[in-house]
């Protein structure tokens, strides 16, 4: 049994774009042709590959086919480069990567910018919590990921990047208003800024202070730069990476609340596939991470 690359690629594009109509526009064919290709592939493999929801999503079997499509496209790109194909005539390789919001907002784009200057590549970035980006590797959605998971995802290899260090901060005005009293009572009443309902950094710090994390009121600001802005505007206190708080602390716009910093150890995981392009991405990302992040204790 063989899996035709054109059909596997079509499945990947449908999942990337979310609908058959959007996939058709990207592939320059009709939506009917897209549907026929998916149906033909499902009949050939005897498996349901696509859940036709909005957005469309791959089944477990479909994820395996998509992983094959992405790996084949990457190997084709590498082969053309080795054969000396004119970069001007070659399509840019699209490399999907997963990254946590704070890395994306602080250090992750610089190595990608350097790579884009040297390689015919575009990046399709998927943002998720560092505890969940490894799942995007497992599903075949991305080729590499910044993740808190140290153990390699099956079929991947893992390299430590360093620790992103978070410290509890607030504006001087906020601290004077909310945190001047008895510490436990003050922290119970003072508003907290959380990224989303999966963000447990503030809860971890509160627990260290002996405060029940369920007690304080919450703001939810689900974008890294806006999250930091919310703290600088005095909406609440939060754990910010030193990348985002250092200058404001130096200017007196933020103050440290004390307590133990929280270190989140990050790793780079990518498919264990011999690819010059993927290796170049790993070299840049790992080198940058180890340069700017705190050493792992």
């Amino acid at each position: 049994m063989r899996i035709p690359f054109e059909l596997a690629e079509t499945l990947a594009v449908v999942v990337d774009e979310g609908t058959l109509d959007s996939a058709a526009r990207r592939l320059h064919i009709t939506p009917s042709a897209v549907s026929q290709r998916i149906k033909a592939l499902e009949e050939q493999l005897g498996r349901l590959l696509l859940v036709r929801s909005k957005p469309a999503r791959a089944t477990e079997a479909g994820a395996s086919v998509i992983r094959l499509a992405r790996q084949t496209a990457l190997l084709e790109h590498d082969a053309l480069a080795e054969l000396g194909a004119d970069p001007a005539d070659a399509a840019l390789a699209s490399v999907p990567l997963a990254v946590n919001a704070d890395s994306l907002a602080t250090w992750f784009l610089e190595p990608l910018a350097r790579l884009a200057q040297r390689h015919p590549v575009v990046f399709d970035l998927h943002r998720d919590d560092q505890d969940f980006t490894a799942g995007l590797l497992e599903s075949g959605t991305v080729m590499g990921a910044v993740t808190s998971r140290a153990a390699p995802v099956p079929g991947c290899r893992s390299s430590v990047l360093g620790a992103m260090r978070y410290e509890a901060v607030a504006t001087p005005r906020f601290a004077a208003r909310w945190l001047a009293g008895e510490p436990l009572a003050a922290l119970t009443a003072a508003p907290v800024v959380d990224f989303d309902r999966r963000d447990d950094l503030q809860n971890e710090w509160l627990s260290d202070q002996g405060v029940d994390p369920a007690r304080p009121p919450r703001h939810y600001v689900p974008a890294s730069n806006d999250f930091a802005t919310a703290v600088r505007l005095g909406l609440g206190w939060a754990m910010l990476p030193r990348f985002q708080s250092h200058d404001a602390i130096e200017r007196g716009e933020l103050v440290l609340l004390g307590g133990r910093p929280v270190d989140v150890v990050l790793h780079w995981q990518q498919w264990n596939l011999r690819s010059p392009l993927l290796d170049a991405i790993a070299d840049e990302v790992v080198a940058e991470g180890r340069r700017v992040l705190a050493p792992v204790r």
Side-chain angles (χ1 to χ4, degrees):
M1 181 184 298
R2 306 294 296 274
I3 299 177
F5 175 67
E6 182 181 64
L7 303 187
E9 180 186 42
T10 299
L11 177 64
V13 171
V14 170
V15 172
D16 286 345
E17 297 296 324
T19 67
L20 271 64
D21 287 346
S22 296
R25 286 192 290 271
R26 177 170 154 185
L27 294 170
H28 306 292
I29 58 178
T30 66
S32 177
V34 172
S35 181
Q36 290 171 10
R37 288 184 182 182
I38 300 300
K39 182 179 179 181
L41 185 56
E42 289 178 330
E43 290 178 348
Q44 183 170 333
L45 297 178
R47 301 283 187 89
L48 180 67
L49 303 175
L50 185 71
V51 178
R52 289 163 173 78
S53 55
K54 289 188 178 181
R57 57 184 177 85
T59 64
E60 184 175 350
S64 297
V65 174
I66 290 172
R67 191 179 306 113
L68 171 66
R70 299 198 198 286
Q71 291 178 346
T72 302
L74 181 63
L75 292 173
E76 180 184 56
H77 172 272
D78 290 338
L80 288 172
E82 289 181 7
L83 292 171
D86 187 345
D89 296 332
L92 296 178
S94 179
V95 178
L97 304 174
V99 59
N100 61 307
D102 287 337
S103 291
L104 181 59
T106 54
W107 66 271
F108 190 69
L109 290 177
E110 288 193 21
L112 300 192
R114 293 194 293 267
L115 286 158
Q117 292 174 356
R118 302 197 309 269
H119 299 276
V121 61
V122 292
F123 297 101
D124 179 7
L125 299 183
H126 298 248
R127 188 192 68 190
D128 205 342
D129 185 272
Q130 61 270 1
D131 293 337
F132 298 93
T133 49
L136 296 173
L137 271 174
E138 291 176 315
S139 68
T141 302
V142 300
M143 299 178 183
V146 176
T147 173
S148 59
R149 178 170 166 177
V153 170
C156 296
R157 61 181 186 266
S158 177
S159 301
V160 66
L161 292 168
M164 184 164 277
R165 182 158 295 162
Y166 293 81
E167 296 169 312
V169 297
T171 65
R173 185 175 180 179
F174 179 92
R177 176 186 176 186
W178 291 98
L179 302 174
E182 195 277 324
L184 292 182
L187 287 172
T188 298
V192 179
V193 182
D194 279 343
F195 185 86
D196 58 23
R197 286 165 176 79
R198 298 187 301 186
D199 180 5
D200 61 0
L201 287 173
Q202 287 70 230
N203 290 347
E204 184 174 343
W205 187 86
L206 284 168
S207 294
D208 276 353
Q209 312 313 308
V211 176
D212 179 357
R215 296 289 301 280
R218 306 273 171 162
H219 298 286
Y220 294 97
V221 184
S224 186
N225 285 322
D226 295 337
F227 179 91
T229 298
V231 177
R232 289 195 294 270
L233 291 174
L235 280 180
W237 71 268
M239 307 295 291
L240 286 186
R242 284 188 173 174
F243 292 108
Q244 292 180 313
S245 64
H246 179 269
D247 290 345
I249 291 171
E250 289 291 308
R251 295 190 298 266
E253 296 170 4
L254 292 176
V255 293
L256 292 167
L257 303 183
R260 179 182 63 87
V262 176
D263 283 354
V264 176
V265 179
L266 298 176
H267 303 264
W268 175 251
Q269 293 210 32
Q270 69 180 49
W271 290 345
N272 192 16
L273 186 70
R274 298 304 304 172
S275 162
L277 177 58
L278 207 53
D279 289 345
I281 293 170
D283 290 344
E284 281 287 354
V285 170
V286 171
E288 183 73 8
R290 292 178 179 176
R291 185 179 72 83
V292 302
L293 297 173
V296 177
R297 296 172 180 174

